[in-house]
Amino acid sequence: MPDDFYMREALALAGIAEAHGEVPVGAVVVSDGAIIGRGYNQPITSHDPSAHAEIIALRDAASRSGNYRLTGCELYVTLEPCVMCAGAIMHARIARLVIGAADPKTGACGSVVNLFSEAALNHHAAVVTGVLAAECGARLSAFFSQRRQALK
């Protein structure tokens, strides 16, 4: 399947996050062409600062596979991961990270810092950026625009 297919699955999960009042970010873990992990942002509703879409998807995939090491898997996420999520991606041994929209405020895969290019770290996923970036970015922009309007 092409990257667009899996990113659209992640976008659908972002919609669930948004429906719950969360920042609309979704993620899927893919192994041998099959989605084995799904996640969407839940830190507000779960009262858990680590409940980012990536973390939820990694936990789901690890649980389903019976192993926290997700060697050979790909992670698709609608927004560039933060430092916490990038660290979890490294520890899970994700082979390939596919990102929708860049995050110029907290992105740890090239926007603010790039942990995956840090030679001192022991795992380096291949990183692909900009897959359905316009759609991913538009969803986030619309969400924050609505939030700002509600405050007026």
Side-chain angles (χ1 to χ4, degrees):
M1 297 274 176
D3 289 342
D4 288 10
F5 174 83
Y6 297 113
M7 190 60 74
R8 287 195 195 291
E9 292 292 315
L11 274 165
L13 291 164
I16 297 171
E18 185 171 13
H20 288 97
E22 300 277 1
V23 175
V25 178
V28 295
V29 177
V30 176
S31 177
D32 296 322
I35 296 174
I36 64 166
R38 290 177 168 80
Y40 57 86
N41 267 8
Q42 302 176 44
I44 297 167
T45 54
S46 69
H47 311 290
D48 179 357
S50 71
H52 289 193
E54 302 94 311
I55 301 295
I56 302 296
L58 290 170
R59 287 176 180 159
D60 187 31
S63 177
R64 289 173 190 265
S65 69
N67 192 341
Y68 78 98
R69 294 258 169 117
L70 300 170
T71 307
C73 291
E74 300 170 305
L75 175 67
Y76 291 78
V77 61
T78 59
L79 180 65
E80 181 181 355
C82 67
V83 170
M84 173 184 70
C85 292
I89 291 163
M90 288 178 194
H91 285 290
R93 301 299 193 262
I94 292 292
R96 185 168 176 260
L97 171 63
V98 182
I99 301 167
D103 186 346
K105 293 185 178 183
T106 64
C109 306
S111 290
V112 177
V113 297
N114 189 346
L115 293 182
F116 292 99
S117 69
E118 181 56 51
L121 297 174
N122 68 337
H123 180 71
H124 300 95
V127 178
V128 176
T129 59
V131 174
L132 299 182
E135 289 178 48
C136 294
R139 181 179 286 275
L140 288 156
S141 294
F143 175 81
F144 287 114
S145 178
Q146 280 184 325
R147 284 279 172 100
R148 285 189 296 278
Q149 291 300 318
L151 294 175
K152 289 183 180 181

